[in-house]
Amino acid sequence: MKIIMLGAPGAGKGTQAKKIAEKYQIPHISTGDIFRANIKGGTELGMKAKAFMDQGQLVPDEITIGMLMDRIKEDDCKNGYVLDGFPRTIPQAESLTKALADLGDKIDYAINVDVPDEAIVTRMSGRRACLKCGATYHIKYNAPKTEGICDTCGEKLVLRDDDKPETVQKRLTVYHEQTQPLIDYYKNEGCLAEVDGTKDLDVVFQDIVAILGE
Ligand code: ADP
Ligand code: AMP
């Protein structure tokens, strides 16, 4: 099963993608996590990406598309994957559609997690991230067992630089301009499904399972 998560930054794509990956036994591929791992590792790709991420801008398609295409060619992707944060532009979506079509394949579901802008800023300011394993928490809605520490790997949790309110505002503008048009793109492709992302995160997941099947 090949799944795309759509939605504004902070809508809950990563939270739900992790649960999908676990239940359906497919890899969770987050382009944001790949960039952050590269930044942490001090790679050239990381340095390039950081300049854009810190400004709330998208990393250019020339960098992002090749990186994602390489990742989905890996062995663990044979039975599918859940993409979180890719595609974010029409050229990214078109490249993915074409790469899959060349293999006689296609995306099965593009799930749009719908959350209005007003709720996003609260979510992002309370988000805490583990930069080691990619786990995400919320200080109020999804708190770790021990404050400030990742349940999964014990790493110290951080407020991402790009989750500060002024950068979040910029990211929302970029989302509406460049990423929201993907909702219509996937509607036309015939694989769009929508869920109300303002519900409790377990209820959102139940709604997703109802779409994907048990
Ligand atoms: P995205 O991957 O779309 O940027 P995340 O999955 O990281 O978003 O979620 C953003 C923040 O909101 C996180 O702190 C997460 O714990 C919290 N969150 C996710 N889903 C919900 C929900 N349904 N209700 C409340 N908070 C949520
Ligand atoms: P995320 O972890 O999905 O919130 O992504 C964090 C940041 O990484 C974004 O604000 C972008 O700067 C960058 N990024 C992640 N995925 C993409 C993508 N598909 N295209 C361009 N930039 C991306």
Side-chain angles (χ1 to χ4, degrees):
M1 191 149 50
K2 297 187 175 66
I3 303 166
I4 286 172
M5 303 304 292
L6 296 175
K13 301 181 297 295
T15 303
Q16 298 301 330
K18 270 208 163 9
K19 287 170 166 288
I20 293 170
E22 228 166 77
K23 181 171 172 69
Y24 298 94
Q25 293 291 299
I26 47 177
H28 165 207
I29 301 175
S30 154
T31 37
D33 282 352
I34 301 176
F35 287 135
R36 282 184 288 278
N38 275 277
I39 293 171
K40 205 166 178 230
T43 69
E44 202 187 321
L45 174 76
M47 315 269 241
K48 278 189 195 153
K50 188 176 184 335
F52 297 97
M53 290 168 76
D54 285 351
Q55 300 295 316
Q57 301 277 6
L58 296 184
V59 179
D61 287 344
E62 304 83 80
I63 299 175
T64 310
I65 292 173
M67 180 183 89
L68 190 277
M69 294 301 161
D70 287 346
R71 177 64 187 91
I72 60 175
K73 279 184 204 135
E74 284 177 32
D75 262 6
D76 62 334
C77 292
K78 281 206 171 74
N79 294 326
Y81 39 75
V82 51
L83 300 184
D84 159 20
F86 186 99
R88 260 183 161 100
T89 64
I90 293 282
Q92 290 181 14
E94 288 173 344
S95 304
L96 180 62
T97 303
K98 183 170 182 315
L100 290 174
D102 287 348
L103 302 168
D105 206 350
K106 61 173 182 47
I107 291 296
D108 298 299
Y109 297 97
I111 302 173
N112 182 41
V113 184
D114 188 30
V115 176
D117 286 10
E118 306 80 79
I120 294 288
V121 181
T122 322
R123 285 222 186 153
M124 304 288 252
S125 58
R127 170 157 69 180
R128 295 295 178 270
C130 174
L131 297 183
K132 191 170 172 199
C133 75
T136 305
Y137 302 86
H138 191 282
I139 50 174
K140 192 163 147 204
Y141 306 125
N142 184 23
K145 291 194 183 82
T146 310
E147 196 187 317
I149 302 292
C150 179
D151 290 350
T152 314
C153 70
E155 184 87 354
K156 223 169 150 222
L157 300 174
V158 297
L159 171 67
R160 279 166 43 181
D161 284 342
D162 61 347
D163 279 352
K164 303 200 167 124
E166 46 301 357
T167 316
V168 169
Q169 212 52 58
K170 174 72 195 163
R171 292 170 69 197
L172 278 171
T173 307
V174 168
Y175 166 75
H176 290 300
E177 284 172 6
Q178 301 196 51
T179 309
Q180 205 172 16
L182 296 181
I183 297 175
D184 277 342
Y185 177 91
Y186 284 105
K187 201 182 274 173
N188 287 332
E189 292 280 303
C191 60
L192 182 74
E194 304 224 41
V195 291
D196 177 356
T198 62
K199 295 184 192 167
D200 183 88
L201 50 92
D202 291 321
V203 178
V204 178
F205 186 58
Q206 281 168 17
D207 291 347
I208 292 177
V209 172
I211 292 162
L212 302 179
E214 275 297 341

